[in-house]
Amino acid sequence: MKKLFLMLMLLAPMAMFAQKFGRVNTQAIMQAMPELAKANGELAAEQKKYENDLKAMQDELTRKSQEYDKTKATMNATKQQETETELQTMYQKIQQTFQDNQQALQKKSNELMEPIVTKVRNAISAVGKAGAYTYILEEGSALYMGDAVKDVTADVKAQLAKMK
């Protein structure tokens, strides 16, 4: 029993050394993907559309506000109150539209990025399995990495090319 225990204790460090670690730079991988450029283009077009809509609303508010300032002196108190309420409502609508647009852009970004992220994760998993890696860490997330850690970024890019 003592010999078995002693042999296990001696072999334990060897098992630790048998582990294989890799590191990957997913940002570099994603930047090289044509899918990301397409997604960014779609997002930019959507954002431009939202900006144009908001600009039109702001221009309308500015126009009505300037018109109100010019005619305020000739208006009765009731008409002034109605116009001020209308301007306040327009302003609140602009603010709400801005917030809604931000949420819509975030949702669209998530929808466009999800398949890209999934594709990269699948490629990392395939490289990990093919190379028998114990761990593949994101570059920069570990506090220390020794020399035995292999950069598998190129391998993941090659795997992605095979997946097309």
Side-chain angles (χ1 to χ4, degrees), residues 23-149:
R23 73 174 188 267
V24 68
N25 184 338
T26 55
Q27 288 294 335
I29 292 167
M30 290 175 70
Q31 292 298 322
M33 294 176 71
E35 293 95 328
L36 184 68
K38 182 181 177 205
N40 286 339
E42 286 183 39
L43 276 176
E46 194 80 12
Q47 184 175 5
K48 185 68 174 168
K49 184 184 116 194
Y50 289 148
E51 286 173 1
N52 290 340
D53 292 346
L54 274 174
K55 174 116 174 63
M57 292 172 77
Q58 288 171 334
D59 290 346
E60 179 69 12
L61 176 63
T62 300
R63 187 187 63 74
K64 286 192 175 195
S65 179
Q66 288 171 348
E67 182 181 310
Y68 169 70
D69 289 341
K70 289 177 185 175
T71 60
K72 181 179 177 182
T74 61
M75 289 183 185
N76 63 34
T78 306
K79 182 65 175 166
Q80 282 182 359
Q81 185 64 36
E82 287 175 7
T83 306
E84 288 172 4
T85 302
E86 180 185 348
L87 292 172
Q88 184 62 31
T89 302
M90 286 179 73
Y91 177 73
Q92 290 171 349
K93 185 177 179 186
I94 290 171
Q95 287 182 323
Q96 186 61 46
T97 301
F98 176 77
Q99 290 174 0
D100 292 347
N101 290 353
Q102 291 299 318
Q103 290 173 354
L105 279 174
Q106 184 62 45
K107 183 179 176 187
K108 182 76 169 175
S109 175
N110 291 343
E111 288 173 5
L112 292 172
M113 292 303 293
E114 184 180 346
I116 297 170
V117 170
T118 300
K119 190 173 182 180
V120 170
R121 283 186 181 152
N122 289 343
I124 292 170
S125 293
V127 168
K129 288 175 185 170
Y133 287 93
T134 305
Y135 294 102
I136 296 179
L137 306 168
E138 175 66 41
E139 190 172 285
S141 66
L143 297 176
Y144 170 77
M145 274 191 233
D147 295 335
V149 178

